[in-house]
Amino acid sequence: MLLVRGGTVVTADCTRRADVLCDDSGRIAAVGPALEAPTGCAVVDAGGLLVMPGGIDPHTHMEMPFMGSVASDDFQTGTEAGVAGGTTTIIDFVIPERGGALLAAWKDWRAKAEKAVADYSFHVAVTHWDEQVHADMGTLARECGVNSFKHFMAYKGALMVDDGVLLRSIGRALELGALCNVHAENGDAVAFLQQDLLRRGLAGPASHPLSRPPTVEGEAAQRVIAIAGLLGAPVYIVHVSTEEAASAIAAARARGQRVYGEVLAQHLVIDDSVYADPDWLGAARHVMSPPFRPRHHQKALWAGLASGQLQTTATDHCCFCAGQKAQGRDDFTKIPNGTPGIEDRMSVLWHHGVRTGRLTPQEFVAVTSANTAKIFNIHPRKGAIMEGADADLVLWDAEASRTVSAATHHQNVDYNLYEGMTLTGLARHTISAGRLVWSDGDLRTVRGAGRYVERPCFGPDMAAQARRNEMLGGAGVDGPAP
Ligand code: URP
Ligand code: ZN
Ligand code: ZN
Ligand code: ZN
């Protein structure tokens, strides 16, 4: 057993002085003032620290095969980096090859993830449509603890699906009580703009953002919101990076549609000036999709988080080292897309969010764990501090600072997006399933200790939507008035 003594417990709902007792099954046994330490119980001194739910990163890609490479952080190193930064759960993505079976891919990813040191779950991507996909979605939802399916509207010729697939898949997920996630970028427009830039001899990484301007994202966000609206289905848009997409989400929510938006920590603080780096590698290291944006978009993203129109923060953690990025030396469209960040998300959000007054500490908990747990139906097991919840905690030092560097980080990648940035607010101790896995800079993880987290379908939002659709005769928000 482990007793966290003398801290200030902060959840999305309240802040209070309390101790937290974790039992040997990895759950919270008690929360309250001045708890007794049972005999033999280890005690962690949380004096002067905030005790918050461990972070949940709803968007990571550990050891993902992508664009001719495999992401360099695997499930062990990636989850180790996570706990060093206060994140105790990830939701990664099962991505079947084009035409490949979903269930077989889910089994492959389960095997890869067995080395994880902290808990993990999976969204499963739908990358084509046929009867087998329809059947596998049912099996995954009913028997495998998968309550979310992912769709890429970009990456033409690889992962991209068209509107026909989106309609079928979102419709199928709705009947299963599962939520659809969407990477919203118009893949045809991207491919067209990429070819145009290459034809004009503009083959460097500076062309990457030019091939994916804000309209490309805004159009796709509006389109998938319209498609989901036609079906009466909730939809979750990953890595919202523009004011255009954020506005589309806010407008849909104002019409009564259940639309959720996720923001990446890096999009909140890094802008598109990174692509002007005269050093090829310096710019290529920032090639991810959607790209970094002109500064005014950051304001919209922060406002979205503060207002609740955007609900979650993630990293899209997808690491490629210099040799891998170099695949695109002569052609920016061949640079593997992706950036690291799981280790620094919580600190970036605290330093730039809470310390600047954009977010309260409770809102910080909401956007780093609780909202994700609610949307993906694992609340209050995750994202909460209460009796019976998983004992996943971060003991946060709100005043301590560190300077970020690839030389000291735990991510298995040769650069850090935030290199040289001094951040105040860090994970002093991290507890995963009742075990101290990070303590004062010391990693104490156990390979394979992470557990697969099953997420049941028909969470509160999906169940409410099903009732709503029944009342409206199955026509969603465009149906007749009740
Ligand atoms: O550039 C990115 N984001 N790479 C990972 C795949 C994706 O689009 O999420
Ligand atoms: Zn994406
Ligand atoms: Zn704009
Ligand atoms: Zn991603």
PDB file of all heavy atoms in Angstrom, residues 345-382:
ATOM      1  N   ARG A 345       3.948  17.505 -22.268  1.00  0.00           N
ATOM      2  CA  ARG A 345       2.598  18.075 -22.420  1.00  0.00           C
ATOM      3  C   ARG A 345       2.103  18.727 -21.133  1.00  0.00           C
ATOM      4  O   ARG A 345       1.621  19.873 -21.144  1.00  0.00           O
ATOM      5  CB  ARG A 345       1.603  16.987 -22.833  1.00  0.00           C
ATOM      6  CG  ARG A 345       0.156  17.477 -22.893  1.00  0.00           C
ATOM      7  CD  ARG A 345      -0.812  16.361 -23.248  1.00  0.00           C
ATOM      8  NE  ARG A 345      -0.858  15.354 -22.208  1.00  0.00           N
ATOM      9  CZ  ARG A 345      -1.965  14.927 -21.596  1.00  0.00           C
ATOM     10  NH1 ARG A 345      -3.148  15.415 -21.930  1.00  0.00           N
ATOM     11  NH2 ARG A 345      -1.912  14.009 -20.664  1.00  0.00           N
ATOM     12  N   MET A 346       2.215  18.032 -20.017  1.00  0.00           N
ATOM     13  CA  MET A 346       1.651  18.559 -18.764  1.00  0.00           C
ATOM     14  C   MET A 346       2.369  19.856 -18.360  1.00  0.00           C
ATOM     15  O   MET A 346       1.729  20.833 -17.971  1.00  0.00           O
ATOM     16  CB  MET A 346       1.783  17.528 -17.642  1.00  0.00           C
ATOM     17  CG  MET A 346       1.180  16.171 -17.952  1.00  0.00           C
ATOM     18  SD  MET A 346      -0.584  16.020 -17.626  1.00  0.00           S
ATOM     19  CE  MET A 346      -0.612  15.834 -15.849  1.00  0.00           C
ATOM     20  N   SER A 347       3.691  19.857 -18.483  1.00  0.00           N
ATOM     21  CA  SER A 347       4.443  21.069 -18.111  1.00  0.00           C
ATOM     22  C   SER A 347       4.129  22.239 -19.041  1.00  0.00           C
ATOM     23  O   SER A 347       4.030  23.390 -18.603  1.00  0.00           O
ATOM     24  CB  SER A 347       5.953  20.798 -18.148  1.00  0.00           C
ATOM     25  OG  SER A 347       6.339  20.006 -17.043  1.00  0.00           O
ATOM     26  N   VAL A 348       3.997  21.954 -20.336  1.00  0.00           N
ATOM     27  CA  VAL A 348       3.664  23.030 -21.288  1.00  0.00           C
ATOM     28  C   VAL A 348       2.303  23.627 -20.934  1.00  0.00           C
ATOM     29  O   VAL A 348       2.133  24.856 -20.905  1.00  0.00           O
ATOM     30  CB  VAL A 348       3.666  22.493 -22.747  1.00  0.00           C
ATOM     31  CG1 VAL A 348       3.018  23.477 -23.704  1.00  0.00           C
ATOM     32  CG2 VAL A 348       5.102  22.179 -23.190  1.00  0.00           C
ATOM     33  N   LEU A 349       1.347  22.757 -20.616  1.00  0.00           N
ATOM     34  CA  LEU A 349      -0.001  23.240 -20.274  1.00  0.00           C
ATOM     35  C   LEU A 349      -0.013  24.007 -18.958  1.00  0.00           C
ATOM     36  O   LEU A 349      -0.736  24.990 -18.806  1.00  0.00           O
ATOM     37  CB  LEU A 349      -0.970  22.056 -20.202  1.00  0.00           C
ATOM     38  CG  LEU A 349      -1.818  21.767 -21.432  1.00  0.00           C
ATOM     39  CD1 LEU A 349      -2.841  22.859 -21.696  1.00  0.00           C
ATOM     40  CD2 LEU A 349      -0.995  21.542 -22.683  1.00  0.00           C
ATOM     41  N   TRP A 350       0.808  23.561 -18.011  1.00  0.00           N
ATOM     42  CA  TRP A 350       0.848  24.269 -16.729  1.00  0.00           C
ATOM     43  C   TRP A 350       1.529  25.629 -16.899  1.00  0.00           C
ATOM     44  O   TRP A 350       0.998  26.667 -16.492  1.00  0.00           O
ATOM     45  CB  TRP A 350       1.595  23.445 -15.664  1.00  0.00           C
ATOM     46  CG  TRP A 350       1.486  24.079 -14.315  1.00  0.00           C
ATOM     47  CD1 TRP A 350       2.321  25.015 -13.774  1.00  0.00           C
ATOM     48  CD2 TRP A 350       0.439  23.877 -13.364  1.00  0.00           C
ATOM     49  NE1 TRP A 350       1.867  25.407 -12.536  1.00  0.00           N
ATOM     50  CE2 TRP A 350       0.713  24.722 -12.261  1.00  0.00           C
ATOM     51  CE3 TRP A 350      -0.702  23.069 -13.342  1.00  0.00           C
ATOM     52  CZ2 TRP A 350      -0.132  24.764 -11.141  1.00  0.00           C
ATOM     53  CZ3 TRP A 350      -1.537  23.114 -12.222  1.00  0.00           C
ATOM     54  CH2 TRP A 350      -1.240  23.964 -11.140  1.00  0.00           C
ATOM     55  N   HIS A 351       2.709  25.606 -17.527  1.00  0.00           N
ATOM     56  CA  HIS A 351       3.495  26.845 -17.643  1.00  0.00           C
ATOM     57  C   HIS A 351       2.767  27.888 -18.496  1.00  0.00           C
ATOM     58  O   HIS A 351       2.611  29.037 -18.091  1.00  0.00           O
ATOM     59  CB  HIS A 351       4.864  26.525 -18.257  1.00  0.00           C
ATOM     60  CG  HIS A 351       5.772  27.708 -18.374  1.00  0.00           C
ATOM     61  ND1 HIS A 351       6.684  28.046 -17.405  1.00  0.00           N
ATOM     62  CD2 HIS A 351       5.892  28.663 -19.339  1.00  0.00           C
ATOM     63  CE1 HIS A 351       7.330  29.139 -17.764  1.00  0.00           C
ATOM     64  NE2 HIS A 351       6.870  29.534 -18.938  1.00  0.00           N
ATOM     65  N   HIS A 352       2.335  27.463 -19.668  1.00  0.00           N
ATOM     66  CA  HIS A 352       1.720  28.422 -20.596  1.00  0.00           C
ATOM     67  C   HIS A 352       0.217  28.580 -20.382  1.00  0.00           C
ATOM     68  O   HIS A 352      -0.385  29.530 -20.893  1.00  0.00           O
ATOM     69  CB  HIS A 352       1.996  28.012 -22.048  1.00  0.00           C
ATOM     70  CG  HIS A 352       3.452  28.095 -22.422  1.00  0.00           C
ATOM     71  ND1 HIS A 352       4.066  29.284 -22.755  1.00  0.00           N
ATOM     72  CD2 HIS A 352       4.415  27.142 -22.489  1.00  0.00           C
ATOM     73  CE1 HIS A 352       5.345  29.053 -23.034  1.00  0.00           C
ATOM     74  NE2 HIS A 352       5.590  27.762 -22.868  1.00  0.00           N
ATOM     75  N   GLY A 353      -0.386  27.647 -19.661  1.00  0.00           N
ATOM     76  CA  GLY A 353      -1.827  27.711 -19.435  1.00  0.00           C
ATOM     77  C   GLY A 353      -2.182  28.235 -18.055  1.00  0.00           C
ATOM     78  O   GLY A 353      -2.853  29.264 -17.917  1.00  0.00           O
ATOM     79  N   VAL A 354      -1.691  27.545 -17.015  1.00  0.00           N
ATOM     80  CA  VAL A 354      -2.091  27.920 -15.653  1.00  0.00           C
ATOM     81  C   VAL A 354      -1.325  29.154 -15.178  1.00  0.00           C
ATOM     82  O   VAL A 354      -1.912  30.089 -14.622  1.00  0.00           O
ATOM     83  CB  VAL A 354      -1.902  26.732 -14.675  1.00  0.00           C
ATOM     84  CG1 VAL A 354      -2.269  27.150 -13.251  1.00  0.00           C
ATOM     85  CG2 VAL A 354      -2.741  25.538 -15.128  1.00  0.00           C
ATOM     86  N   ARG A 355      -0.019  29.183 -15.407  1.00  0.00           N
ATOM     87  CA  ARG A 355       0.778  30.304 -14.890  1.00  0.00           C
ATOM     88  C   ARG A 355       0.446  31.625 -15.564  1.00  0.00           C
ATOM     89  O   ARG A 355       0.693  32.693 -15.020  1.00  0.00           O
ATOM     90  CB  ARG A 355       2.274  29.993 -14.986  1.00  0.00           C
ATOM     91  CG  ARG A 355       2.697  28.947 -13.947  1.00  0.00           C
ATOM     92  CD  ARG A 355       4.173  28.718 -13.947  1.00  0.00           C
ATOM     93  NE  ARG A 355       4.952  29.881 -13.553  1.00  0.00           N
ATOM     94  CZ  ARG A 355       5.259  30.203 -12.300  1.00  0.00           C
ATOM     95  NH1 ARG A 355       4.838  29.451 -11.300  1.00  0.00           N
ATOM     96  NH2 ARG A 355       6.000  31.261 -12.043  1.00  0.00           N
ATOM     97  N   THR A 356      -0.108  31.549 -16.763  1.00  0.00           N
ATOM     98  CA  THR A 356      -0.500  32.780 -17.466  1.00  0.00           C
ATOM     99  C   THR A 356      -1.938  33.181 -17.148  1.00  0.00           C
ATOM    100  O   THR A 356      -2.428  34.180 -17.669  1.00  0.00           O
ATOM    101  CB  THR A 356      -0.407  32.574 -18.985  1.00  0.00           C
ATOM    102  OG1 THR A 356      -1.264  31.456 -19.321  1.00  0.00           O
ATOM    103  CG2 THR A 356       1.014  32.269 -19.439  1.00  0.00           C
ATOM    104  N   GLY A 357      -2.626  32.354 -16.352  1.00  0.00           N
ATOM    105  CA  GLY A 357      -4.010  32.680 -16.004  1.00  0.00           C
ATOM    106  C   GLY A 357      -5.029  32.296 -17.067  1.00  0.00           C
ATOM    107  O   GLY A 357      -6.203  32.628 -16.951  1.00  0.00           O
ATOM    108  N   ARG A 358      -4.599  31.582 -18.100  1.00  0.00           N
ATOM    109  CA  ARG A 358      -5.576  31.159 -19.117  1.00  0.00           C
ATOM    110  C   ARG A 358      -6.466  30.044 -18.584  1.00  0.00           C
ATOM    111  O   ARG A 358      -7.629  29.917 -18.967  1.00  0.00           O
ATOM    112  CB  ARG A 358      -4.849  30.638 -20.365  1.00  0.00           C
ATOM    113  CG  ARG A 358      -4.140  31.711 -21.164  1.00  0.00           C
ATOM    114  CD  ARG A 358      -3.379  31.036 -22.305  1.00  0.00           C
ATOM    115  NE  ARG A 358      -2.865  31.983 -23.265  1.00  0.00           N
ATOM    116  CZ  ARG A 358      -1.562  32.130 -23.536  1.00  0.00           C
ATOM    117  NH1 ARG A 358      -0.655  31.397 -22.899  1.00  0.00           N
ATOM    118  NH2 ARG A 358      -1.177  33.001 -24.440  1.00  0.00           N
ATOM    119  N   LEU A 359      -5.888  29.189 -17.724  1.00  0.00           N
ATOM    120  CA  LEU A 359      -6.614  28.051 -17.173  1.00  0.00           C
ATOM    121  C   LEU A 359      -6.458  28.042 -15.658  1.00  0.00           C
ATOM    122  O   LEU A 359      -5.401  28.426 -15.137  1.00  0.00           O
ATOM    123  CB  LEU A 359      -6.034  26.735 -17.704  1.00  0.00           C
ATOM    124  CG  LEU A 359      -6.046  26.481 -19.220  1.00  0.00           C
ATOM    125  CD1 LEU A 359      -5.269  25.197 -19.539  1.00  0.00           C
ATOM    126  CD2 LEU A 359      -7.464  26.390 -19.755  1.00  0.00           C
ATOM    127  N   THR A 360      -7.486  27.594 -14.955  1.00  0.00           N
ATOM    128  CA  THR A 360      -7.345  27.357 -13.522  1.00  0.00           C
ATOM    129  C   THR A 360      -6.697  25.976 -13.332  1.00  0.00           C
ATOM    130  O   THR A 360      -6.722  25.152 -14.248  1.00  0.00           O
ATOM    131  CB  THR A 360      -8.717  27.338 -12.824  1.00  0.00           C
ATOM    132  OG1 THR A 360      -9.432  26.176 -13.287  1.00  0.00           O
ATOM    133  CG2 THR A 360      -9.537  28.589 -13.145  1.00  0.00           C
ATOM    134  N   PRO A 361      -6.171  25.690 -12.135  1.00  0.00           N
ATOM    135  CA  PRO A 361      -5.647  24.334 -11.905  1.00  0.00           C
ATOM    136  C   PRO A 361      -6.700  23.259 -12.162  1.00  0.00           C
ATOM    137  O   PRO A 361      -6.392  22.201 -12.716  1.00  0.00           O
ATOM    138  CB  PRO A 361      -5.206  24.384 -10.442  1.00  0.00           C
ATOM    139  CG  PRO A 361      -4.814  25.817 -10.230  1.00  0.00           C
ATOM    140  CD  PRO A 361      -5.829  26.605 -11.023  1.00  0.00           C
ATOM    141  N   GLN A 362      -7.949  23.509 -11.791  1.00  0.00           N
ATOM    142  CA  GLN A 362      -8.999  22.504 -12.036  1.00  0.00           C
ATOM    143  C   GLN A 362      -9.265  22.344 -13.532  1.00  0.00           C
ATOM    144  O   GLN A 362      -9.520  21.237 -14.006  1.00  0.00           O
ATOM    145  CB  GLN A 362     -10.284  22.878 -11.290  1.00  0.00           C
ATOM    146  CG  GLN A 362     -10.122  22.671  -9.790  1.00  0.00           C
ATOM    147  CD  GLN A 362     -11.354  23.032  -8.984  1.00  0.00           C
ATOM    148  OE1 GLN A 362     -11.230  23.317  -7.805  1.00  0.00           O
ATOM    149  NE2 GLN A 362     -12.523  23.055  -9.596  1.00  0.00           N
ATOM    150  N   GLU A 363      -9.204  23.450 -14.264  1.00  0.00           N
ATOM    151  CA  GLU A 363      -9.363  23.340 -15.725  1.00  0.00           C
ATOM    152  C   GLU A 363      -8.187  22.582 -16.342  1.00  0.00           C
ATOM    153  O   GLU A 363      -8.340  21.846 -17.325  1.00  0.00           O
ATOM    154  CB  GLU A 363      -9.498  24.737 -16.353  1.00  0.00           C
ATOM    155  CG  GLU A 363     -10.847  25.379 -16.071  1.00  0.00           C
ATOM    156  CD  GLU A 363     -10.909  26.877 -16.378  1.00  0.00           C
ATOM    157  OE1 GLU A 363      -9.839  27.520 -16.569  1.00  0.00           O
ATOM    158  OE2 GLU A 363     -12.035  27.411 -16.412  1.00  0.00           O
ATOM    159  N   PHE A 364      -7.008  22.765 -15.743  1.00  0.00           N
ATOM    160  CA  PHE A 364      -5.834  22.001 -16.186  1.00  0.00           C
ATOM    161  C   PHE A 364      -6.111  20.502 -16.069  1.00  0.00           C
ATOM    162  O   PHE A 364      -5.833  19.731 -16.995  1.00  0.00           O
ATOM    163  CB  PHE A 364      -4.632  22.408 -15.323  1.00  0.00           C
ATOM    164  CG  PHE A 364      -3.397  21.553 -15.484  1.00  0.00           C
ATOM    165  CD1 PHE A 364      -2.484  21.800 -16.504  1.00  0.00           C
ATOM    166  CD2 PHE A 364      -3.145  20.506 -14.610  1.00  0.00           C
ATOM    167  CE1 PHE A 364      -1.338  21.017 -16.648  1.00  0.00           C
ATOM    168  CE2 PHE A 364      -2.004  19.725 -14.740  1.00  0.00           C
ATOM    169  CZ  PHE A 364      -1.104  19.980 -15.766  1.00  0.00           C
ATOM    170  N   VAL A 365      -6.683  20.081 -14.936  1.00  0.00           N
ATOM    171  CA  VAL A 365      -7.018  18.664 -14.763  1.00  0.00           C
ATOM    172  C   VAL A 365      -8.061  18.248 -15.802  1.00  0.00           C
ATOM    173  O   VAL A 365      -7.966  17.183 -16.414  1.00  0.00           O
ATOM    174  CB  VAL A 365      -7.518  18.369 -13.330  1.00  0.00           C
ATOM    175  CG1 VAL A 365      -7.996  16.927 -13.212  1.00  0.00           C
ATOM    176  CG2 VAL A 365      -6.414  18.664 -12.315  1.00  0.00           C
ATOM    177  N   ALA A 366      -9.041  19.117 -16.032  1.00  0.00           N
ATOM    178  CA  ALA A 366     -10.083  18.784 -17.013  1.00  0.00           C
ATOM    179  C   ALA A 366      -9.454  18.516 -18.383  1.00  0.00           C
ATOM    180  O   ALA A 366      -9.759  17.507 -19.018  1.00  0.00           O
ATOM    181  CB  ALA A 366     -11.112  19.913 -17.104  1.00  0.00           C
ATOM    182  N   VAL A 367      -8.564  19.406 -18.831  1.00  0.00           N
ATOM    183  CA  VAL A 367      -8.045  19.264 -20.205  1.00  0.00           C
ATOM    184  C   VAL A 367      -6.869  18.293 -20.320  1.00  0.00           C
ATOM    185  O   VAL A 367      -6.500  17.902 -21.431  1.00  0.00           O
ATOM    186  CB  VAL A 367      -7.670  20.624 -20.851  1.00  0.00           C
ATOM    187  CG1 VAL A 367      -8.869  21.573 -20.849  1.00  0.00           C
ATOM    188  CG2 VAL A 367      -6.454  21.265 -20.190  1.00  0.00           C
ATOM    189  N   THR A 368      -6.275  17.891 -19.188  1.00  0.00           N
ATOM    190  CA  THR A 368      -5.175  16.925 -19.288  1.00  0.00           C
ATOM    191  C   THR A 368      -5.596  15.494 -18.936  1.00  0.00           C
ATOM    192  O   THR A 368      -4.857  14.565 -19.227  1.00  0.00           O
ATOM    193  CB  THR A 368      -3.960  17.313 -18.404  1.00  0.00           C
ATOM    194  OG1 THR A 368      -4.394  17.454 -17.045  1.00  0.00           O
ATOM    195  CG2 THR A 368      -3.307  18.594 -18.883  1.00  0.00           C
ATOM    196  N   SER A 369      -6.763  15.312 -18.289  1.00  0.00           N
ATOM    197  CA  SER A 369      -7.191  13.932 -17.994  1.00  0.00           C
ATOM    198  C   SER A 369      -8.711  13.750 -17.931  1.00  0.00           C
ATOM    199  O   SER A 369      -9.259  12.903 -18.638  1.00  0.00           O
ATOM    200  CB  SER A 369      -6.560  13.432 -16.683  1.00  0.00           C
ATOM    201  OG  SER A 369      -7.048  14.147 -15.563  1.00  0.00           O
ATOM    202  N   ALA A 370      -9.391  14.551 -17.114  1.00  0.00           N
ATOM    203  CA  ALA A 370     -10.803  14.234 -16.809  1.00  0.00           C
ATOM    204  C   ALA A 370     -11.704  14.255 -18.049  1.00  0.00           C
ATOM    205  O   ALA A 370     -12.538  13.357 -18.235  1.00  0.00           O
ATOM    206  CB  ALA A 370     -11.340  15.186 -15.745  1.00  0.00           C
ATOM    207  N   ASN A 371     -11.545  15.268 -18.894  1.00  0.00           N
ATOM    208  CA  ASN A 371     -12.434  15.349 -20.064  1.00  0.00           C
ATOM    209  C   ASN A 371     -12.213  14.163 -21.008  1.00  0.00           C
ATOM    210  O   ASN A 371     -13.167  13.610 -21.565  1.00  0.00           O
ATOM    211  CB  ASN A 371     -12.214  16.660 -20.828  1.00  0.00           C
ATOM    212  CG  ASN A 371     -12.722  17.868 -20.062  1.00  0.00           C
ATOM    213  OD1 ASN A 371     -13.388  17.722 -19.032  1.00  0.00           O
ATOM    214  ND2 ASN A 371     -12.413  19.065 -20.541  1.00  0.00           N
ATOM    215  N   THR A 372     -10.961  13.784 -21.190  1.00  0.00           N
ATOM    216  CA  THR A 372     -10.672  12.626 -22.035  1.00  0.00           C
ATOM    217  C   THR A 372     -11.312  11.370 -21.446  1.00  0.00           C
ATOM    218  O   THR A 372     -11.915  10.568 -22.163  1.00  0.00           O
ATOM    219  CB  THR A 372      -9.144  12.447 -22.174  1.00  0.00           C
ATOM    220  OG1 THR A 372      -8.648  13.505 -22.984  1.00  0.00           O
ATOM    221  CG2 THR A 372      -8.794  11.107 -22.805  1.00  0.00           C
ATOM    222  N   ALA A 373     -11.191  11.211 -20.123  1.00  0.00           N
ATOM    223  CA  ALA A 373     -11.779  10.035 -19.473  1.00  0.00           C
ATOM    224  C   ALA A 373     -13.292  10.006 -19.674  1.00  0.00           C
ATOM    225  O   ALA A 373     -13.885   8.947 -19.910  1.00  0.00           O
ATOM    226  CB  ALA A 373     -11.432  10.030 -17.985  1.00  0.00           C
ATOM    227  N   LYS A 374     -13.931  11.180 -19.603  1.00  0.00           N
ATOM    228  CA  LYS A 374     -15.387  11.229 -19.777  1.00  0.00           C
ATOM    229  C   LYS A 374     -15.773  10.937 -21.224  1.00  0.00           C
ATOM    230  O   LYS A 374     -16.661  10.125 -21.494  1.00  0.00           O
ATOM    231  CB  LYS A 374     -15.924  12.601 -19.358  1.00  0.00           C
ATOM    232  CG  LYS A 374     -15.881  12.805 -17.849  1.00  0.00           C
ATOM    233  CD  LYS A 374     -16.291  14.218 -17.454  1.00  0.00           C
ATOM    234  CE  LYS A 374     -16.062  14.430 -15.961  1.00  0.00           C
ATOM    235  NZ  LYS A 374     -16.188  15.833 -15.557  1.00  0.00           N
ATOM    236  N   ILE A 375     -15.103  11.602 -22.171  1.00  0.00           N
ATOM    237  CA  ILE A 375     -15.469  11.442 -23.586  1.00  0.00           C
ATOM    238  C   ILE A 375     -15.263   9.993 -24.035  1.00  0.00           C
ATOM    239  O   ILE A 375     -16.071   9.449 -24.791  1.00  0.00           O
ATOM    240  CB  ILE A 375     -14.651  12.425 -24.461  1.00  0.00           C
ATOM    241  CG1 ILE A 375     -15.112  13.861 -24.189  1.00  0.00           C
ATOM    242  CG2 ILE A 375     -14.771  12.094 -25.946  1.00  0.00           C
ATOM    243  CD1 ILE A 375     -14.203  14.942 -24.789  1.00  0.00           C
ATOM    244  N   PHE A 376     -14.206   9.357 -23.538  1.00  0.00           N
ATOM    245  CA  PHE A 376     -13.918   7.981 -23.966  1.00  0.00           C
ATOM    246  C   PHE A 376     -14.377   6.936 -22.945  1.00  0.00           C
ATOM    247  O   PHE A 376     -13.956   5.791 -22.964  1.00  0.00           O
ATOM    248  CB  PHE A 376     -12.442   7.842 -24.351  1.00  0.00           C
ATOM    249  CG  PHE A 376     -12.104   8.642 -25.580  1.00  0.00           C
ATOM    250  CD1 PHE A 376     -11.406   9.834 -25.493  1.00  0.00           C
ATOM    251  CD2 PHE A 376     -12.561   8.227 -26.831  1.00  0.00           C
ATOM    252  CE1 PHE A 376     -11.132  10.596 -26.626  1.00  0.00           C
ATOM    253  CE2 PHE A 376     -12.291   8.970 -27.976  1.00  0.00           C
ATOM    254  CZ  PHE A 376     -11.578  10.153 -27.871  1.00  0.00           C
ATOM    255  N   ASN A 377     -15.260   7.382 -22.038  1.00  0.00           N
ATOM    256  CA  ASN A 377     -15.985   6.487 -21.137  1.00  0.00           C
ATOM    257  C   ASN A 377     -15.102   5.610 -20.250  1.00  0.00           C
ATOM    258  O   ASN A 377     -15.335   4.408 -20.135  1.00  0.00           O
ATOM    259  CB  ASN A 377     -16.978   5.621 -21.941  1.00  0.00           C
ATOM    260  CG  ASN A 377     -18.064   5.039 -21.049  1.00  0.00           C
ATOM    261  OD1 ASN A 377     -18.381   5.609 -19.997  1.00  0.00           O
ATOM    262  ND2 ASN A 377     -18.630   3.912 -21.443  1.00  0.00           N
ATOM    263  N   ILE A 378     -14.099   6.225 -19.637  1.00  0.00           N
ATOM    264  CA  ILE A 378     -13.342   5.510 -18.600  1.00  0.00           C
ATOM    265  C   ILE A 378     -13.325   6.319 -17.295  1.00  0.00           C
ATOM    266  O   ILE A 378     -12.520   6.079 -16.412  1.00  0.00           O
ATOM    267  CB  ILE A 378     -11.893   5.177 -19.042  1.00  0.00           C
ATOM    268  CG1 ILE A 378     -11.218   6.381 -19.714  1.00  0.00           C
ATOM    269  CG2 ILE A 378     -11.883   3.948 -19.941  1.00  0.00           C
ATOM    270  CD1 ILE A 378      -9.738   6.175 -20.016  1.00  0.00           C
ATOM    271  N   HIS A 379     -14.236   7.277 -17.183  1.00  0.00           N
ATOM    272  CA  HIS A 379     -14.401   8.069 -15.969  1.00  0.00           C
ATOM    273  C   HIS A 379     -15.447   7.395 -15.093  1.00  0.00           C
ATOM    274  O   HIS A 379     -16.440   6.920 -15.628  1.00  0.00           O
ATOM    275  CB  HIS A 379     -14.872   9.486 -16.352  1.00  0.00           C
ATOM    276  CG  HIS A 379     -14.783  10.472 -15.238  1.00  0.00           C
ATOM    277  ND1 HIS A 379     -15.832  10.707 -14.386  1.00  0.00           N
ATOM    278  CD2 HIS A 379     -13.766  11.288 -14.852  1.00  0.00           C
ATOM    279  CE1 HIS A 379     -15.463  11.639 -13.512  1.00  0.00           C
ATOM    280  NE2 HIS A 379     -14.223  12.006 -13.761  1.00  0.00           N
ATOM    281  N   PRO A 380     -15.277   7.313 -13.773  1.00  0.00           N
ATOM    282  CA  PRO A 380     -14.197   7.876 -12.954  1.00  0.00           C
ATOM    283  C   PRO A 380     -13.055   6.903 -12.656  1.00  0.00           C
ATOM    284  O   PRO A 380     -12.259   7.179 -11.776  1.00  0.00           O
ATOM    285  CB  PRO A 380     -14.924   8.257 -11.667  1.00  0.00           C
ATOM    286  CG  PRO A 380     -15.975   7.192 -11.523  1.00  0.00           C
ATOM    287  CD  PRO A 380     -16.371   6.797 -12.921  1.00  0.00           C
ATOM    288  N   ARG A 381     -12.997   5.779 -13.416  1.00  0.00           N
ATOM    289  CA  ARG A 381     -11.835   4.895 -13.187  1.00  0.00           C
ATOM    290  C   ARG A 381     -10.549   5.694 -13.414  1.00  0.00           C
ATOM    291  O   ARG A 381      -9.577   5.570 -12.671  1.00  0.00           O
ATOM    292  CB  ARG A 381     -11.902   3.705 -14.152  1.00  0.00           C
ATOM    293  CG  ARG A 381     -10.668   2.852 -14.075  1.00  0.00           C
ATOM    294  CD  ARG A 381     -10.714   1.627 -14.978  1.00  0.00           C
ATOM    295  NE  ARG A 381      -9.410   0.992 -14.960  1.00  0.00           N
ATOM    296  CZ  ARG A 381      -9.037   0.017 -15.770  1.00  0.00           C
ATOM    297  NH1 ARG A 381      -9.891  -0.447 -16.669  1.00  0.00           N
ATOM    298  NH2 ARG A 381      -7.825  -0.493 -15.696  1.00  0.00           N
ATOM    299  N   LYS A 382     -10.543   6.488 -14.478  1.00  0.00           N
ATOM    300  CA  LYS A 382      -9.408   7.369 -14.787  1.00  0.00           C
ATOM    301  C   LYS A 382      -9.898   8.825 -14.712  1.00  0.00           C
ATOM    302  O   LYS A 382     -11.081   9.111 -14.880  1.00  0.00           O
ATOM    303  CB  LYS A 382      -8.885   7.106 -16.203  1.00  0.00           C
ATOM    304  CG  LYS A 382      -8.471   5.664 -16.490  1.00  0.00           C
ATOM    305  CD  LYS A 382      -7.166   5.316 -15.835  1.00  0.00           C
ATOM    306  CE  LYS A 382      -6.656   3.954 -16.302  1.00  0.00           C
ATOM    307  NZ  LYS A 382      -5.494   3.507 -15.502  1.00  0.00           N
TER     308      LYS A 382
END
